[in-house]
Amino acid sequence: MGGRLRVPRTKRARALLAVVLVLLLGGGTAGYFWWKSGELPDGVAFRVGDKMVTVDDVNKEMDTLRALYGVQRPTDANALDRYWRDGAKAQAVSIVLDDAARAQNITIADKTARDVLSRYIAQQIGEGPSARDEFVRALGNAGTSEQAVLTEIKRQLALNQLFDQVTAGQTVTDEEVRQAFDQRRAQLGTPERRHLRNIVVRTKEEADQVLADIRGGSTFEDVAARTSLDSTRTAGGDLGELSSDQLDESYRGPAFSARPGTVFGPVQNEHGWNVGKVEQVLPPIPAEFEQVKGRLKDTLLLEKSLRVWRDWLAEQIKRADVQYADRYLPADPDAPPGDDSIPGNAPAPAGPPR
């Protein structure tokens, strides 16, 4: 018979074959050609196993990440291309991790996720029904929904539990701690810190006016309360004491070269145009073993856990059979993503979306 298809003779068997063919061919020739060629159907960004994720799905997920974490869509063409490729990969890995969490019977109750969201709203906006209503309206303006945010919170909470399960059993000896201290002594000390204030506005013209107002005699605190887009405006733009590595690359240079008591800027970054002030300079403090050994041990334990996690995740990605459309194909599809895939290292919430 070679490769010929033997047609069943009974009506029941023929009906069953018809159903199978409809499922296999996707109801038409388009599904047949996808199955035959291995290419994804139009409108599909990527596939994980038998799960298709559409371009629209990717867009909605990126809107949720923008609302919750402040992940902004670039305007530069090359950066925008990387944005879509990296975004698709992050979502594909999320699906892989979701499947792994379900396989380990990890579930997050709705109430747990809602409690986390309520705390977030209270911290960012305030208490009570009006604060939640404001948050939900802001989500709608950002193109996402409360349910999408709750789904993301559940994913992060499940990821925490999965990480603990995968990396269980890692230990660090006292000898390893002492050796690491000797090797990292310079980095373990407290670096120079600066007590900073900051004002964020939308345009350079607005930033220039902020500088003019301050130099004209207005206090930094009053101008921040009146003009800043940042949530610190109610505290006079107070950012607290920060080291240089806690600041955006474009911001740290001016902030750490200005003299105490002086104003610097305008400086542009992803949040807008910034005008800052150095309130105080705190000199570096050398590390003492007894003071840092606990923190250092935690760091070494995390580093060991991350190596285990990344090796495990790389294997999961390879086994997941992920296929990307050309526009969404990342540079290295099988490599684990960056630190955002690590529990606790997701981008910090950026405050209520506007």
Side-chain angles (χ1 to χ4, degrees):
M1 297 295 295
R4 295 175 59 190
L5 177 67
R6 184 184 295 274
V7 179
R9 295 184 178 183
T10 66
K11 289 184 178 181
R12 177 181 174 82
R14 289 180 182 178
L16 179 59
L17 176 61
V19 171
V20 171
L21 289 175
V22 167
L23 293 174
L24 178 62
L25 303 182
T29 57
Y32 168 75
F33 285 118
W34 165 76
W35 173 77
K36 192 74 173 175
S37 68
E39 296 179 359
L40 296 175
D42 290 343
V44 172
F46 64 88
R47 172 185 61 79
V48 181
D50 58 0
K51 179 179 177 61
M52 299 282 188
V53 177
T54 67
V55 171
D56 188 49
D57 293 333
V58 172
N59 290 338
K60 288 178 181 177
E61 180 66 13
M62 297 306 283
D63 284 340
T64 298
L65 296 180
R66 177 169 66 89
L68 189 56
Y69 298 125
V71 178
Q72 297 298 320
R73 184 176 301 180
T75 55
D76 174 74
N78 291 332
L80 184 61
D81 182 66
R82 290 194 303 273
Y83 169 87
W84 289 120
R85 295 176 191 273
D86 291 346
K89 181 174 181 177
Q91 292 179 44
V93 172
S94 290
I95 293 172
V96 172
L97 291 171
D98 288 346
D99 291 343
R102 279 192 293 271
Q104 296 298 320
N105 297 317
I106 296 174
T107 57
I108 305 299
D110 290 344
K111 182 180 184 305
T112 301
R114 289 194 175 278
D115 288 346
V116 171
L117 180 58
S118 295
R119 290 196 296 272
Y120 173 74
I121 294 173
Q123 291 169 359
Q124 298 293 334
I125 302 178
E127 304 278 357
S130 61
R132 179 175 288 275
D133 291 343
E134 180 182 346
F135 181 74
V136 171
R137 283 196 301 272
L139 291 178
N141 293 337
T144 189
S145 66
E146 182 178 8
Q147 186 55 53
V149 171
L150 286 168
T151 299
E152 175 63 18
I153 290 172
K154 280 187 171 185
R155 176 176 292 131
Q156 292 298 325
L157 294 175
L159 185 57
N160 285 336
Q161 293 187 27
L162 182 62
F163 181 86
D164 289 343
Q165 288 188 16
V166 170
T167 62
Q170 303 304 307
T171 60
V172 174
T173 66
D174 292 342
E175 182 180 354
E176 288 174 313
V177 176
R178 171 57 75 173
Q179 183 179 10
F181 176 78
D182 293 338
Q183 295 170 345
R184 308 182 189 189
R185 187 189 298 263
Q187 293 80 31
L188 290 170
T190 302
E192 178 185 313
R193 291 167 296 151
R194 295 196 164 206
H195 184 183
L196 302 173
R197 293 183 184 274
N198 191 59
I199 295 171
V200 186
V201 292
R202 289 187 177 86
T203 67
K204 186 177 185 300
E205 290 73 20
E206 291 174 327
D208 289 337
Q209 185 59 54
V210 165
L211 277 173
D213 290 347
I214 294 171
R215 289 168 178 165
S218 298
T219 68
F220 195 97
E221 292 86 341
D222 287 344
V223 178
R226 188 175 72 250
T227 65
S228 184
L229 301 175
D230 193 75
S231 59
T232 59
R233 63 184 176 274
T234 57
D238 194 355
L239 298 179
E241 300 170 0
L242 301 169
S243 60
S244 64
D245 61 2
Q246 293 177 285
L247 300 173
D248 291 344
E249 184 175 357
S250 61
Y251 190 89
R252 71 172 64 122
F256 271 73
S257 60
R259 296 188 307 276
T262 61
V263 175
F264 61 89
V267 179
Q268 186 181 22
N269 62 15
E270 63 178 316
H271 305 294
W273 285 88
N274 300 263
V275 174
K277 181 181 179 182
V278 180
E279 291 284 4
Q280 183 183 9
V281 175
L282 296 93
I285 302 172
E288 298 290 342
F289 180 73
E290 291 300 324
Q291 294 176 343
V292 302
K293 65 179 183 181
R295 175 163 54 93
L296 179 56
K297 186 172 185 176
D298 290 342
T299 298
L300 295 176
L301 182 59
L302 177 60
E303 289 173 356
K304 282 190 174 184
S305 297
L306 290 181
R307 286 194 291 270
V308 172
W309 172 259
R310 290 187 185 283
D311 290 345
W312 174 87
L313 182 54
E315 182 61 28
Q316 300 303 308
I317 294 171
K318 289 178 182 178
R319 290 166 51 186
D321 187 24
V322 183
Q323 181 183 3
Y324 296 91
D326 287 344
R327 183 192 175 191
Y328 295 91
L329 179 65
D332 192 348
D334 291 336
D339 289 346
D340 291 355
S341 70
I342 300 166
N345 278 18
R354 299 297 179 190

